[in-house]
Amino acid sequence: EVLLVQSGAEVKKPGESLKISCKGSGYSFTSYWIGWVRQMPGNGLEWMGIIYPGDSDTRYSPSFQGQVTISADKSISTAYLQWSSLKASDTAMYYCVRPSRSGWPFDYWGQGTLVTVSS
Amino acid sequence: DIQMTQSPSTLSASVGDRVTITCRASQSVSSWLAWYQQKPGKAPKLLIYEASSLESGVPSRFSGSGSGTEFTLTISSLQPDDFATYYCQQYNSYSWTFGQGTKVEIK
């Protein structure tokens, strides 16, 4: 069974750094792209970026380029989403996702990680 | 970037109603269009991919159609479990965009 298991909720202050994780299991981690989707409170879904763990090829949405860093450690089948300096506007639910079908829909989703940034 | 526009933003309907949600792309996305259902506090769930292919386990009352820039999601007979928010999503050259969502409410 394919599973994406994310790290737990975080509460941070503005200016702090953060790295959240998504561990894949039940499949060959290096063979599938894995991405991140943001959902701000009461809002819709926004695709942030995606990485291919096999060679670390990474693509970002223009809206998130330079704002976050996506990485992966294939030795532990884990993808990461990282901020160097959080803002209150980063408060959101973050989902990791895996496209695997023709047409590239996100057919697997993690359970979500809630990030709260507040002074 | 390709923009996706859904209509309506909110839809009030009754159990048994036929419901249609429209999604328009700012440029052609061929058939690279998916639909998701999201309930409060839950991760989205894939319903339809490649515009009209039903995801395994999804009830047959859900169907998708369209190509190019105009797409529709139809629920043939709305059930109590279907009250949720629905999103369309396009894929093009390692870039994905979601529509703003359509909330289906109880009338």
Side-chain angles (χ1 to χ4, degrees), chain A residues 33 39 101-104 106, chain B residues 32 36 38 50 55 89 96:
Chain A
W33 292 80
Q39 188 166 39
R101 295 189 177 282
S102 173
W104 297 72
F106 297 147
Chain B
W32 302 137
Y36 300 84
Q38 188 180 30
E50 283 189 285
E55 173 72 340
Q89 177 209 45
W96 289 258

Side-chain angles (χ1 to χ4, degrees), chain B residues 15 37 39 45 59 61-62 78-84 86:
Chain B
V15 172
Q37 176 194 67
K39 296 182 179 179
K45 171 188 172 184
R61 62 181 180 272
F62 291 92
L78 198 64
Q79 298 302 300
D81 191 48
D82 301 338
F83 292 96
Y86 294 83

Side-chain angles (χ1 to χ4, degrees), chain B residues 7-8 11 14 27 37-38 42 62 78 85 87 89 92 102-104 107:
Chain B
S7 60
L11 187 161
S14 302
Q27 65 188 72
Q37 176 194 67
Q38 188 180 30
K42 299 291 187 183
F62 291 92
L78 198 64
T85 300
Y87 295 92
Q89 177 209 45
N92 180 58
T102 295
K103 186 174 184 179
V104 177
K107 194 171 185 178

Side-chain angles (χ1 to χ4, degrees), chain B residues 4-80:
Chain B
M4 306 300 291
T5 304
Q6 284 181 238
S7 60
S9 296
T10 306
L11 187 161
S12 295
S14 302
V15 172
D17 283 353
R18 181 181 181 88
V19 165
T20 298
I21 299 168
T22 298
C23 180
R24 290 187 175 86
S26 59
Q27 65 188 72
S28 177
V29 298
S30 185
S31 294
W32 302 137
L33 193 286
W35 291 96
Y36 300 84
Q37 176 194 67
Q38 188 180 30
K39 296 182 179 179
K42 299 291 187 183
K45 171 188 172 184
L46 177 65
L47 299 176
I48 302 283
Y49 62 98
E50 283 189 285
S52 60
S53 295
L54 192 67
E55 173 72 340
S56 177
V58 174
S60 59
R61 62 181 180 272
F62 291 92
S63 64
S65 64
S67 65
T69 61
E70 293 248 351
F71 301 88
T72 59
L73 172 70
T74 300
I75 310 172
S76 60
S77 177
L78 198 64
Q79 298 302 300

